[in-house]
Amino acid sequence: MSDLRFQAVEAAGGRPKTSTQPLALQKATALYGKNVFTISKMKDFLPKNSYKQLVEIIEEGTTIDRDLAEHISQAMKSWAIANGASHYTHWFQPLTGSTAEKHDAFFEPDSDGSAIEKFTADALVQQEPDASSFPNGGIRNTFEARGYTAWDPTSPAFIFETGGGKTLCIPTVFVSYTGESLDYKAPLLKAINSIDKAAVEVAQYFDKAVTKVTPSLGIEQEYFLVDLALYNARPDLQLTGRTLFGHISAKGQQLEDHYFGAIPERVLAFMVDLENESLKLGIPLKTRHNEVAPSQFECAPMFEEINLAIDHNQLLQNVMDQVALRHSFKVLLHEKPYSGVNGSGKHNNWSLITNTGVNLLSPGKTPKNNLMFLTFFVNTIKAVHEHADLLRASIASASNDHRLGANEAPPAIISIFLGSQLDELLEEVESARVAKKVKAEANLWHGIPKIPELRLDNTDRNRTSPFAFTGNKFEFRAVGSSANSALPMTVLNAIVANQLAEFKIEVDKQIKKGTKKDLAILNVVRKYIKESKAIRFEGNGYSDEWEQEAAARGLSNIKSTPKALDIYTKESSLDLFEKMGIYSHRESEARHEILLENFYKKLQIEARVIGEIVSSLIAPAAFTYQNDLITNVKGLKDLGLPKEAYSSQLNLIERISKHANTILEEAEAMRQERKKANALEDVRERSIAYDELVKPYFDQIRYHVNKLEQIVDDSKWPLPKLRELLFIR
Ligand code: ADP
Ligand code: MG
């Protein structure tokens, strides 16, 4: 790296680190849940009766009464203080996308001047954060600016340690004074409730012992690491989470894969530390060592009950940040930190598990279980087929737009990959031959084709599918690495719940008309297989042919966020969410607005940062080098040398002028477009203007900046280069 950049890096935060801090992976059993107030610990701290009551509430999803809240708050306080916590906070997930906290001390001054430890039932079940600055999409006018947070008993409290001390964190929902959800968690809990209800009713066709169905979720998290000092010298990374400029050779990834080889020890030390810290918080993390792109990594916890899995993923993001700093790294969760290098996602592995311990998406061993599997399998496919646009909207964000539908990215088409064995199975179930056979059998189940033993390594081959069946779960892969999974998972559970409810109505109708139950189920399953065919795709999802074929099949391919979000305010979506008890019309509309706001604000920030970097860093560097060239040419001329002696220099001088002028002119033109967009009242129109009229400048300016990067004297280039950022020593 050039001296200039080293100086810049040093000024911003010190030299890149090369040292390693060897740390041993501690014994998982000793660490796991150490900082969590688990149900089993509650047992020790609660009166017997209260404990029993709480367990029932968690199982049945009912609310906590005053007396119980009093007992729990005392228990929580005792445990937290015994473990060194000095403060407590309600930990919630506002629609900004991160998590929020409001800290209070346990200790309050008493009237006689001494201090008492105070934490009451009120502090547990209800808090009133001064939260008027959180996005609410117009739901909270200033006069009702209060938002309430209340403990979600299905997610245990935990102690978060920072340099500043230990804080008891209480996972909470965040609702407005008038009862509307202002966060990600409240609608998710409602969606979990609705799929529980719908899935239990359908599962009872097969097994009356099923009284509860819980969605499970395992989230694979991809991320990039970058040296903290280098990060601090890149204002674009700091302010937008991605590099807005930087040249990388077209073949960079393949070559660099080879070049980077094994994981540096420094990264391994980070991973071990991350794993230890996560285990303490009850996050059953297993780090992975496979890099896709240079300095890109992945980790995944064991799957858990969905609400907990999402809380843990949110918490994991905080832990990653914290642990990274200890190792002088910065974690990049942006979906596309480097153009020309693979992006990052957050694969959501989802299935449905009954209180009897059966995974409803695991192909059964008996014919009866096969029909149950087929029922849930096909209903999920049908739900995705009917509501692909809602799923697409659920993963839409300014940052994920770089990963979906952009060039060098998979298309934004939602399709399902099943693997050839299951794809063929559905073909067969649908065929007239099977229908005939089933009718001929005394026992209908024996007519259904046997589900082959799935070769698990075979189910997952197609990495290009946004929604794939992988053996005993569906994997929604289009979710962005920085997203809160609650939104896509709320939508997925809502549409499947809705589908299962419709399925039950159709089956019951047939039964009422005298069709035998199992035949009725099979009839509707076969009908759904036929109706949802268009969404099934086994081929290469990244190919151009697929875009054409998908269009011919009538599948949507909505490339940009503001248009993808339109579906939220369509009558059919409003009704679906309301029917499933997830969002009122007003809540849907508020969310639509918040998502649009998040979108254009991200672009607005990027545009500003580009303008500033271009005029204050890039252009000056270009002109400095150009002046050197001019001096050189003048000198050569003075010596009386012929023109051939400085023709290359003249050419460079011209090229620098061309590129430098272009970036300055385009930055100004972009500013004008931004002003026009800002003047638009309607947030959807403003978002579209940002997307279609402002954003195109980003790549144009980047192109010319990258050209300059290749020309300008390396020692004069002001920003750490991509190859430097991507190379961890
Ligand atoms: P990969 O997709 O890389 O092959 P795995 O299939 O091993 O990885 O697991 C990916 C994630 O899926 C893990 O978090 C795992 O715990 C989770 N998972 C496995 N079974 C289920 C299930 N039934 N429901 C939800 N998640 C699951
Ligand atoms: Mg996976």
Side-chain angles (χ1 to χ4, degrees), residues 388-409:
D389 286 352
L390 270 180
L391 275 182
R392 166 67 185 99
S394 76
I395 50 162
S397 68
S399 49
N400 213 16
D401 276 1
H402 296 288
R403 212 175 133 252
L404 302 173
N407 41 13
E408 56 166 275

Side-chain angles (χ1 to χ4, degrees), residues 375-390:
T375 297
F376 285 92
F377 184 62
V378 169
N379 268 286
T380 306
I381 296 169
K382 167 89 163 143
V384 174
H385 176 261
E386 300 303 304
H387 299 289
D389 286 352
L390 270 180

Side-chain angles (χ1 to χ4, degrees), residues 216-220 288 298 300-303 347 349-351 353 359 460 463 470 472-473 475:
S216 58
L217 182 66
I219 301 176
E220 298 163 71
R288 306 272 180 91
E298 182 190 312
M302 281 275 300
F303 72 92
H347 296 179
N349 294 270
W350 171 91
S351 75
I353 296 178
N359 176 354
D460 201 18
R463 288 267 155 200
T470 50
N472 59 1
K473 61 194 188 285
E475 183 170 337

